Amino acid sequence: MDSLSSQEELKESDIEKPKKETENLNENEIENEIEKENSQEKPEKETEEQKKKKYWDRSKIRRMRQLMKEKRFEVMIQAFTSSLKRILIPVSITMILTVILIKTLYSDQTMNNQFQDVSVYNENSSDSGGKKFAGSLLNALIIVGAIVVMTFLIVLCFKFGCMNLVFAYIIFSTFIMLGIIGAVTFIELLVAENLGMDWLSFVIFMLNFAVVGVTVIFWKGPEIFNKMYLIAVSVLVAKVFASLPEWTAWILLGAIAIWDIFAVLSARGPLKVLIETAQQEDKPIAGLLYNSSLYFENDYDNDDNDNDDENSDKNHESSSDKDHKFVDNPYSTSSDEDNFENDTNQPKKNEEIENKTEDNNETKKEDQDDDLIKIPKEVFPERKKRPETKKPEKVQYQYQYEDEDEGGIKLGLGDFIFYSVLIAKASLNDYSTVFTCFIAILTGLSLTLFFLIVYQKALPALPISISFGIIFYFLTKLVLDPFIEQLGNSSVFA
Amino acid sequence: MDPSTPLTEEQKIKVAKKMYIAGFFFLPWLWFCLAIYFRKEKNEILQKYVKKAYFGFFVFTFFLLTWMAVFLSQRDRWGVKGDNLSVNIPYGDSNYDS
Amino acid sequence: MTLVLFFGCLFVAFSPIIALFIFVIYKEAKLLIIMLAGAFFWLLSIFIASILWKIVKPLQDENAWSIAISIVAQEGVRLLLYKIFIKLEANIYRFATKQTLETEKSYLKGSLACGVGYSFAYVLVMYGSVMTHSTGPGSLFTSECPKISLFIVNALLAHNFGILNILWTIIIFISFKSLKNKKENKKIIYIFAITLSLASHFLLSYLTLIKNCKVSLLVNYLISIPLAIIGYFFIKKYYRNKKDFYQSQINETQKDEQTIEVIKPQENDQKQDLTRRRVPNDNTSDDEPVLFDNDIKIK
Amino acid sequence: MWKIILILLLLFIKETQTKSIHDTIYQDIGGFTGMQLLNKNGDYGGTSGFDPLYGELYLIEEESDFEKLINDPPSKKLVLVLNAEFFSFSKYLDRLPNKITIAGVILLPGNKPGTGYSPEMTYPLKASSLHPESDYEWNSIGNGDLYKKYFFPILTFPLQGNFQFIKDMAKQNKRDLEFFEPRNGAVFDIFMQANEDSETCLRRKTCVPIGGQSVWGFIGGEYNKSKEYIMITTPLDTRSSFPYLSPGSEFPSSGIVALLSAIDGIISFANSNNATEFYSSLKRQIMFGFWDGESFGHIGSLKFINDVKYFDCKEWNDSSHSSCNQPFRYSMAFKDLDLSKLTEIIEPNQVGLYTGNPNNTYQSQLYTHYEKENFQSLVLAEKIMMVSINSLKIMNLSTVEYPSPHTPGIPPSSSESFVRKIKSDLPVVVLTDYPSQFSNAFYSSVFDDIFNIETQQIAGAASLLLRTVYMEATGCNPEEIPENLAVNETFIRDLMFCFSFTYYCQYFVDILGIPFNVPSSNYPGLFSDTNVPIRSKFLHDFITYLTLVQKSSEFPSCKSGYDCNSSENCIVGKCYPRIVYFHPSYSNNVEYDYKQKEYKVVESYFPDDLWVESDWKKIQIQVYQGNSKNVDILVFCVGIFLILLDCFMIKFFKLF
């Protein structure tokens, strides 16, 4: 532990404070400093003072560089945490709502499988384990197959440019889902609460619900409505999937997770293909797959939810956005004369710029994708993208400002749905199961995001969370509950 | 297609008009949505729409609620008609108080 | 239990966690995630314990064994959590030239978040699962204490253990960190703190075996209140020390800067104040030599 | 890796299921609850809400408790634990102030209300009686509690049940407790799903018609169309506030047993001589009928008459037209019956109560109720009196008197239906033990139990009936009735035990072969074509057995009904031919539609007010120990305080 330039440190530490101007100022000064120094460098013999001075300057530069790294890392951490917070909250809301719904509907009466007619194997408890496994594996594979086919169809449609078809299909299916599943759920709620209702009001309710839902999701509407409806959609779908029989549901979850890995990571994965084609001939596919990314737009340009945490996020965000101008600077400056940097691949300026534009496209495309988390690369510039020469400030600003509404991390609606399915299945058991699965899923999500930060590429969000969830579910059901039961009955705390 | 993209004034007015007209097809919730969407707007045309939408929403809701109240209280007396009109016939006595 | 009692017990059991969450954790996203990690790791520990309990049949009928397993598992996982946490913390401040008050602060806050997560999971699983079974107006009375409902007793105990878990986590974290620190001269205190926290955990858990609820409650609180106070002052002292330490360093630096100023060649003012802010001070630095080597190598 | 192995291991470990906390808190108590019954005019009886009702137990042992409850009503919900004498709405429960919210009523059996208690009307079944206009009060103490609607469930226990612990729990609440002492309470989860009236609930499929199976046949078995026949009959059922616990020993069990032992007497007399010849020698055949569901508007007898007169089968079961599918009749024997050949009806009804004066040797007393403006009835009553006078030397035969002149005519009884629907001058006599008004203080109430009746009285009635029937059937003079024509008193005592205490008795076990360990209940129950109430089954099998037991060697043996052909019944291991018939007894205003599997309300010649019983999802009554309200509130405040305290500490003693 030492105490070098503590004031300095203290200033760096409170990074959100609007101290940026002065620091930028320092930047420029230091650059001047450096240039001066270079100009001064002559093979002539130096005086003590010159030596000393030189040394001071070096150390100054060095300190600046470290300052940069530090800041960049802090930017990363902040962007990570704030965007993660902005993901965790809606995910938690969705899961909690699902649990409440399931507990209300199926606390006393058992849920009837709503896939009875379509599923090839209807599980009944008398069957042997093997038969159950085989049958439900078949069911799960059929459902996953359907998903796979749909994804490929969408990709094909996209390749051959009949996107309107896809739009029509998606809007229609959303309307049907909100209308029909919503109505069924509503009736189940009425039955569960033993309430009366007449058809007239019922139809009016459902019509309003569905129409406004589609309007808000696909056309125009207040941000808050949009969010609520996206949550509602995932809760409804989760409820339907939760009605699958035990084994089928778990196997389906596993299969979906695996398919997710394939689709996002493998070179031939349809989602990857989708993104790549979208990049090659840049077709606008905004709005595809419900714009689920809308959640995680950085919230400081929507006026609908302005509570404290949003504001704090805003601070994080804006600061980070301010910062990465500040981040790119030192490299551009320092790499002029500091040729001792170990990695030395140096793309041309224009190439670099088109890299960036491509990135923009990419971010634009990828957030339509259903099953992956991604982050705009601008927030965390990769080392190899470092420009060789210092580029004018203008360009930088320009980039930031067009990046601004791309900020944050984007999570597909599919992930929401399948997390909720898992939680719904858990909530058919004890509350302890719900809690453990909840923690498991959130932790898995955070881990995924962490890897995202590390690897800086699009990742599937399901596998880690789902596997955690499944393991925790069975552990809780098999070992934890009896254990806790025994301790709790005799009021023992350990 | 994208709710988040910012709109120009005349686009906003178009949207408001469409939503307002659509609201007449038994869509009070859409009116409410419209009112919330443009509630912060300065433009007085939009403001007019917002006011109208609020008015329509509350009037419609009022009538709907009165109808529901009447139905729920009179359901049993209407006999077969009442049953055919119900989505769900609750068990037991409707005016039960414990 | 009735709804009123339910919420009463809920508030009693979770009050410290709720308060800390609202006033400290929720304000910083980072802490939120650390808390999540804490909860996750506690679950891991209890899973390990219960798996052992399940597999080794003889443990099942004797509560004393169950307690032993679960405590050992919890403390072990707490240590593991510390290891991971310290690594992450180090990574975050890898680029930081030096340890500062801020890093200390964030370390303390982080450990607090860990503790809150840990005790949140603890209370929710140990007490919440009991509470959710108790819908309806009735509540559970044992033959040993026919007057006080078991739910209330458990709520008080849960409140107690919740607070203690937070304290234990923080204390153990800072103690281990200080033990790692070579410059630390009063190591014995930290060793004592660790042993005390472990011992108190064992002691209090075994005291809950007392069937008579009044006695067990009384004893638990009599032991844990002084412990809590000690722990509080321990942490406060630790923080004070650090603060003074850094304060003194700051003063030193300012002195150095004066001296440097004297020998520095005068140039334009702008540069002067620039240098005044940026001037280094080598002899007190730990990692400065490294940079020096680096620098020399490059030359 | 090792973790995975552990998980794999776990999959093979059985789950250790510890007793959940919920089960340790709540303790199920048995007992019989009041049901929600409906008719065309409304719904009666108690129910809990859609959510369970719960409250603290409050014991009412003597008047002072009740006064205390009225004077300072507690603010919390109560479950009243009543001694018998306080179980009366008009007298007690209706007097409670409105601010007392009752969550339920538990009636402790044992001692009975001294003043008597009858929840029926003062003129039971007035609507379907012969004198709908008369304002006479047969049942003067009747307070009509059966026709009340109340929003809390009621519960009681059979005498042999275990209910002492509830009284103890209630006692614990009674002594005034300290601030924090726990209270005992009870949860009632019994939600009756029907509402409005029977037509509504039948339409909504939330109720099922009440009904059972009547039992009828001819003594000896053969029915000769050419011959006239007399009918001895009695109702088979009663009701009470707790339908499935209606011991009804004075009414109807005494009548049933008297009739049954009379039948037994005749059959054994016939068997002692040459049976077939005896039966054929009879001038008039003897028909017997036990009509079920009579307490619900005489639906048993009315259904029978209706079917005999107007029954038409929509879909036959077989070509021989021996049974019908739609509407379902197992046997069509009733179609052969010629009602015009019915000459007279004698009905023993409420004959069990001790009426003679206790000091001298036991002398039972009976009264012959007859229709005032029907001369033939008077003649029949005359004959019965002659019988009793002429056979005084017979042990324990009842002396007979005329009822008081104030009575409008015959009391509520099955015979009324026949008089109303066949011919108004049909000679009818109803034998009872009361001259003017019911001397039974517990008519159709839960207290009408086995301690309410006197076996010798029934024996007297039975032997009088027996001798009268013999005289009427053979047409001999009262003097010529043989001496050895008598009934067996122990037989009557055992049967009374069976019919009004528990079905777990010698005769039922022997005849039915299956031990039903349930307290006897004379509630007809829900109607179903396929299964038969225990009482009816016993009567059917027992009479068949008595008639044919002599010739049992001629019949093939069997294990169950499947071993016999369609016209036979398997009774005590033998396939006996069917000589006694069931007849479904349910409302004439409802028909079961086999296509839609639902009951339909239909028009009928004999309208009645369509009694139905409501459906329910579950019936669960539990007792528990709970905190007093004070403790709940205290803990809540403590919780709030703790949260505030913690916030305060964090804000002001802040560490960092």
Side-chain angles (χ1 to χ4, degrees), chain D residues 121-174:
Chain D
M121 291 300 188
T122 51
Y123 193 142
L125 303 169
K126 193 171 182 174
S128 58
S129 77
L130 282 168
H131 312 281
E133 287 77 27
S134 96
D135 52 3
Y136 188 73
E137 294 193 346
W138 288 105
N139 181 25
S140 52
I141 56 168
N143 55 16
D145 281 354
L146 283 178
Y147 304 90
K148 268 193 165 16
K149 177 175 186 171
Y150 36 91
F151 285 114
F152 51 82
I154 57 176
L155 172 79
T156 190
F157 302 87
L159 284 168
Q160 61 266 41
N162 157 33
F163 50 85
Q164 193 52 41
F165 72 102
I166 291 177
K167 191 164 189 172
D168 302 340
M169 290 178 79
K171 270 213 175 70
Q172 284 177 16
N173 278 3
K174 198 177 172 188

Side-chain angles (χ1 to χ4, degrees), chain A residues 483 486-494, chain C residues 53 59-71 122 142 144-145 150 153-154 157 161 200-220 223:
Chain A
F483 186 61
Q486 197 200 14
L487 291 186
N489 281 353
S490 47
S491 82
V492 167
F493 279 75
Chain C
W53 175 83
L59 302 184
Q60 290 181 8
D61 38 20
E62 193 42 62
N63 269 339
W65 285 114
S66 326
I67 295 178
I69 311 170
S70 83
I71 294 180
Y122 179 95
T142 55
E144 287 76 12
C145 49
L150 197 67
V153 179
N154 283 10
L157 284 176
F161 274 87
S200 56
H201 192 173
F202 270 100
L203 177 65
L204 290 174
S205 292
Y206 274 105
L207 282 178
T208 55
L209 277 175
I210 300 172
K211 280 273 166 281
N212 185 331
C213 54
K214 281 181 194 160
V215 177
S216 73
L217 265 181
L218 198 67
V219 176
N220 258 288
I223 296 175

Side-chain angles (χ1 to χ4, degrees), chain A residues 32-62:
Chain A
N32 309 340
E33 187 79 357
I34 294 161
E35 279 152 6
K36 254 177 95 286
E37 184 192 356
N38 301 347
S39 64
Q40 279 176 358
E41 257 184 86
K42 302 181 192 66
E44 76 187 12
K45 181 169 183 323
E46 300 154 346
T47 65
E48 259 317 298
E49 302 214 337
Q50 276 171 326
K51 270 212 182 92
K52 223 186 184 65
K53 180 170 170 305
K54 202 177 223 161
Y55 166 67
W56 291 137
D57 300 341
R58 277 265 164 64
S59 55
K60 256 181 279 167
I61 294 158
R62 208 171 294 118

Side-chain angles (χ1 to χ4, degrees), chain B residues 75-84 86 89-98, chain D residues 43 47-50 53 77 101 149 151-152 191-196 200 203-204 206:
Chain B
R75 185 166 58 73
D76 284 332
R77 281 176 209 67
W78 292 346
V80 186
K81 255 195 242 66
D83 286 5
N84 295 343
S86 318
I89 303 172
Y91 291 133
D93 203 322
S94 50
N95 50 25
Y96 177 92
D97 49 353
S98 65
Chain D
D43 55 337
T47 168
S48 82
F50 182 69
L53 285 174
K77 278 193 258 170
T101 51
K149 177 175 186 171
F151 285 114
F152 51 82
F191 177 53
M192 295 294 168
Q193 298 182 334
N195 69 331
E196 290 300 295
T200 312
R203 187 176 69 242
R204 295 176 181 173
T206 55

